[in-house]
């Protein structure tokens, strides 16, 4: 279906052509009539007055028995003028048709997009849908904390449905990247499936966004519903209108309470990183680079925005209060991701350090079993020999690191389990436990990095992360670790390429908020805050 603006242009062009044609025909008919009229007049037998005799009269009187020169020239001029007008109109239409930038006739079927265009659309859809799901989960954590599970069940259900659609879209995209399917038509349909799944994920979230705003008291003239007291089921009654302070003010108190808790945890996280640097090799703490600094940056931004939200509540400015609250909540949530990442990584390093000796012993037992199966020594050729030789070198290097000084426990476990996987499959016992610990750490680290840099991270890194999550759920520890490592590499590359956002304002933490996707970067001041919802509703809290 074409729009009225597109359809209207050909109709106007047709009307102009008809007018010009009518003018040309009318001019031609007038000219022909003028040529025929003298002939008709000459053949008439009406009496003609006789002029008086005399020299003067004889000279001045025209001839009455034929057509004068004037009678012939004037019709000829009129006909030529009409033909010239018609020719000018034709030439003008031809020139317009050659230089027109928009088609005169719009096809009902637009041209099919090229494979490259479809791939770009699919990448953009994946990135947008992933952002919507992540933002919705962040806001929902604050809403659930205040209202409880029962009152927030519709929003949780919509989020889970969106996550399912997005996961399916990422799975289709990964198969597409691997060349499956290989037929052109099937590949085009795969991209359509990716875009459609992402659209459905956004639609699910968009459908629940207005109800969530009503629950929180964001909607003008609608109060926040009462928190869940754990009572019986049934739909909650529609709340009575009240000032913005009743709903948004209570939400600000919850965000400020979490802010204070994170401020104390951030200081402790700084001390934790310092202790880890002293105890382990530099590679052990490399994944935490910038975590504490970025957490403090997000907390500074949250301070500014939560204060603005509080001032707006005092002024009963509901729209500005909601904007400050959502931006502040987003910053607090990301600070929590970063501080929690430090705490998680420190705990996993301690657990890994305790597992390394047992994993090393288990891998050496597997190596001995392979050698016994080979008659005391591995065959001279073949994969068993290559795997045994590789495992022997890796295990010897790890044992030397254990006695030689600070080392990286998680990296040691990774090397041990990968070497053992070349000897036996599936891994069992302590080796399986060690591989799972390594994979979980890699997936969590990649997840944290993407979450706090989603304003710059592209679809490829997100697709690898989704693959890592799928593999981890399918007990594919080794594949999950590899996919998560690749996702982290791609995400870090995207952030380096993106650089620091250039903004009109110099608010503390503003650039980090844009880089983290807390603000949508639609305006020089950073844009509106991202909110629960899909593409249609996520930027609804604009200034």
């Amino acid at each position: 279906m074409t729009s009225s603006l597109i359809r209207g242009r050909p109709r106007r062009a047709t009307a102009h052509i008809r007018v010009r044609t009518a003018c040309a025909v009318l001019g031609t008919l007038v000219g022909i009539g003028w040529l025929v009229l003298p002939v008709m007049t000459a053949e008439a037998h009406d009496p003609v007055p006789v002029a008086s005799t005399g020299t003067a009269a004889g000279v001045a009187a025209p001839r009455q028995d034929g057509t004068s020169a004037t009678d012939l020239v004037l019709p000829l001029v009129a006909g030529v003028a009409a033909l010239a007008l018609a020719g000018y109109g034709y030439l003008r239409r031809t020139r317009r048709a050659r230089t027109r930038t928009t088609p005169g006739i719009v096809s009902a079927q637009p041209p099919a997009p090229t494979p490259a265009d479809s791939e770009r659309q699919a990448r953009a859809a994946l990135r947008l849908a992933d952002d919507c799901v992540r933002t919705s989960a962040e806001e929902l954590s604050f809403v659930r904390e205040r209202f409880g599970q029962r009152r927030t069940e519709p929003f949780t259900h919509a989020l889970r449905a969106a996550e399912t659609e997005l996961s399916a879209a990422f799975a289709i995209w990964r198969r597409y990247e691997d060349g499956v399917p290989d037929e052109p038509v099937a590949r085009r349909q795969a991209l359509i499936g990716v875009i459609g799944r992402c659209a459905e994920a956004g639609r699910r979230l968009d459908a629940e966004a207005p109800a969530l705003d009503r629950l929180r008291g964001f909607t003008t003239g609608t109060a926040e519903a009462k928190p869940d007291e754990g009572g019986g089921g049934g739909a909650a009654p529609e709340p009575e209108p009240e000032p913005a302070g009743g709903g948004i003010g209570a939400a600000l108190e919850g965000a400020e309470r979490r802010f204070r808790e994170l401020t104390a945890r951030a200081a402790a996280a700084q001390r934790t990183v310092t202790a880890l640097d002293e105890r382990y090799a530099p590679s052990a703490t490399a994944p935490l680079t910038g975590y504490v600094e970025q957490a403090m940056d997000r907390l500074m931004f949250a301070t500014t925005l939560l204060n603005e939200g509080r001032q707006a509540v005092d002024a009963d400015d509901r729209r500005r209060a909601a904007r400050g609250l959502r931006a502040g909540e987003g910053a607090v949530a990301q600070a929590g991701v970063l501080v929690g990442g430090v705490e998680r990584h420190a705990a996993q390093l301690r657990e890994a350090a305790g597992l390394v000796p047992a994993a090393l012993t288990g891998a050496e037992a597997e190596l001995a079993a392979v050698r016994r199966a080979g008659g005391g020594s591995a065959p001279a050729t073949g994969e068993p020999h290559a795997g045994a030789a590789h495992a022997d070198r890796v295990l010897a290097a790890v044992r030397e690191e254990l006695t030689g000084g600070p080392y990286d426990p998680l990296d040691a476990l990774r090397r041990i389990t990968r070497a053992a996987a070349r000897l036996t499959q599936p891994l069992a016992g302590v080796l399986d436990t060690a591989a799972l610990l390594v994979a979980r750490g890699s997936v969590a680290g990649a997840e944290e990095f993407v979450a706090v840099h989603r304003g710059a991270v592209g679809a490829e890194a997100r697709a690898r992360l989704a693959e890592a999550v799928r593999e981890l759920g399918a007990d594919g520890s080794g594949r999950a670790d590899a996919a998560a490592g690749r996702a982290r590499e791609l995400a870090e590359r995207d952030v380096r390429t993106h650089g620091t956002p250039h903004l009109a304002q110099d608010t503390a933490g503003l650039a980090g908020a844009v880089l983290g996707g807390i603000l949508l970067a639609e305006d020089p001041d950073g844009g509106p805050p991202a909110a629960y919802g899909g593409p249609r509703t996520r930027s609804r809290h604009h200034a």
Side-chain angles (χ1 to χ4, degrees):
M1 180 179 295
T2 56
S3 68
S4 60
L5 291 177
I6 296 176
R7 291 194 302 264
R9 185 180 182 96
R11 292 174 181 173
R12 290 194 298 269
T14 303
H16 293 326
I17 292 171
R18 290 173 179 170
V19 170
R20 292 168 185 160
T21 303
C23 291
V25 171
L26 180 61
T28 303
L29 292 176
V30 170
I32 293 173
W34 208 336
L35 288 172
V36 173
L37 182 62
V39 176
M40 296 175 62
T41 305
E43 293 178 354
H45 298 286
D46 295 336
V48 178
V50 179
S52 59
T53 61
T55 305
V59 174
R63 296 179 58 187
Q64 301 296 328
D65 58 349
T67 303
S68 71
T70 303
D71 290 336
L72 293 175
V73 171
L74 290 179
L76 183 61
V77 170
V80 171
L83 291 175
L85 180 61
Y88 172 74
Y90 172 78
L91 290 175
R92 187 176 179 184
R93 289 194 303 274
T94 304
R95 188 180 299 111
R96 276 176 130 187
R98 290 175 180 173
T99 60
R100 180 178 291 164
T101 57
T102 56
I105 300 177
V106 180
S107 174
Q109 280 287 352
T114 65
D117 291 336
S118 297
E119 287 182 8
R120 281 192 294 270
Q121 292 175 9
R123 289 192 187 95
L126 286 168
R127 180 176 178 178
L128 178 58
D130 191 54
D131 279 349
C132 291
V133 166
R134 291 177 182 277
T135 301
S136 298
E138 284 180 357
E139 181 172 2
L140 187 57
S141 69
F142 288 91
V143 180
R144 189 184 296 116
E145 182 179 293
R146 174 158 179 77
F147 294 102
Q149 182 64 37
R150 185 180 67 88
R151 298 297 302 277
T152 57
E153 183 59 33
F155 315 115
T156 302
H157 179 74
L159 178 60
R160 296 291 174 264
E163 289 173 342
T164 300
E165 295 289 346
L166 180 60
S167 178
F170 273 126
I172 297 171
W173 174 255
R174 281 296 293 124
R175 290 195 297 271
Y176 178 88
E177 287 185 314
D178 291 338
V180 180
D182 55 358
E183 299 86 1
V185 175
R187 289 179 66 78
R188 185 163 56 249
Q189 290 299 319
L191 293 177
I192 293 174
V194 170
I195 297 170
R197 293 274 190 172
C198 292
E200 177 62 16
R203 188 195 67 78
R204 293 273 190 154
L205 297 171
D206 279 331
E208 296 297 334
L212 184 131
D213 283 355
R214 289 195 296 271
L215 180 68
R216 304 198 75 186
F218 289 175
T219 305
T220 303
T222 303
E224 164 193 60
K226 298 299 182 183
D228 187 6
E229 300 291 345
E238 191 71 19
E240 294 295 328
E242 66 177 6
I248 302 178
L252 282 167
E253 291 176 2
E256 290 164 350
R257 182 169 55 253
R258 194 186 293 192
F259 169 86
R260 290 189 293 270
E261 294 171 356
L262 279 171
T263 301
R265 288 172 57 195
Q270 181 63 72
R271 295 191 295 270
T272 298
V273 172
T274 301
L276 295 177
D277 286 335
E278 295 173 353
R279 183 174 182 180
Y280 300 112
S283 62
T285 56
L288 301 179
T289 301
Y291 268 40
V292 176
E293 293 78 6
Q294 291 180 65
M296 299 302 294
D297 184 74
R298 299 297 194 276
L299 290 174
M300 285 190 294
F301 181 74
T303 300
T304 303
L305 271 296
L306 292 177
N307 286 339
E308 289 182 3
R310 179 64 66 185
Q311 293 170 4
V313 166
D314 295 339
D316 202 20
D317 187 342
R318 194 180 298 265
R319 179 186 291 273
R320 191 162 62 92
R323 184 181 188 277
L325 172 64
R326 274 305 305 133
E329 285 179 341
V332 169
Q334 290 197 8
V337 170
L338 292 161
V339 172
V342 173
E343 297 167 347
R344 170 201 57 78
H345 192 72
Q348 289 179 333
L349 282 174
R350 289 192 297 269
E351 186 177 356
L355 277 176
V356 167
L360 189 58
T361 300
E364 288 173 340
E366 293 292 344
L367 178 60
V370 170
R371 285 174 172 164
R372 285 194 302 271
S377 62
T381 60
E383 182 61 26
H385 177 273
H390 173 75
D392 200 9
R393 290 192 299 270
V394 169
L395 299 180
V398 171
R399 189 167 291 281
E400 183 178 354
E401 290 176 6
L402 288 177
T403 59
Y407 72 105
D408 182 349
L410 283 170
D411 181 65
L413 282 184
R414 178 178 289 108
R415 288 182 288 155
I416 291 171
T417 54
R418 287 183 177 179
R422 297 183 61 176
L423 302 174
T424 181
Q425 282 289 347
L427 297 177
V430 68
L431 291 174
D432 181 55
T433 302
L436 186 59
L437 174 63
V438 170
R440 285 175 175 169
S442 295
V443 172
E447 177 69 36
E448 291 157 2
F449 190 88
V450 172
V452 300
H453 298 91
R454 61 175 178 261
V457 176
E460 288 79 5
R462 299 170 193 245
R464 293 302 186 280
L465 178 56
E467 177 188 4
V469 172
R470 289 194 304 273
E471 293 291 353
L472 189 61
D475 295 330
S477 301
R479 295 186 297 273
D481 178 44
R486 181 58 177 160
R488 180 73 180 257
E489 291 175 3
L490 291 171
E492 291 176 348
R493 182 200 66 184
D494 289 341
V495 172
R496 288 193 300 270
T497 302
H498 186 274
T500 303
H502 298 286
L503 302 165
Q505 296 185 6
D506 194 24
T507 304
L510 181 60
V514 172
L515 189 64
I518 299 169
L519 301 181
L520 297 179
E522 296 176 357
D523 301 307
D525 64 348
Y532 181 106
R536 186 173 56 85
T537 59
R538 69 174 188 146
S539 61
R540 61 189 179 276
H541 298 307
H542 53 80

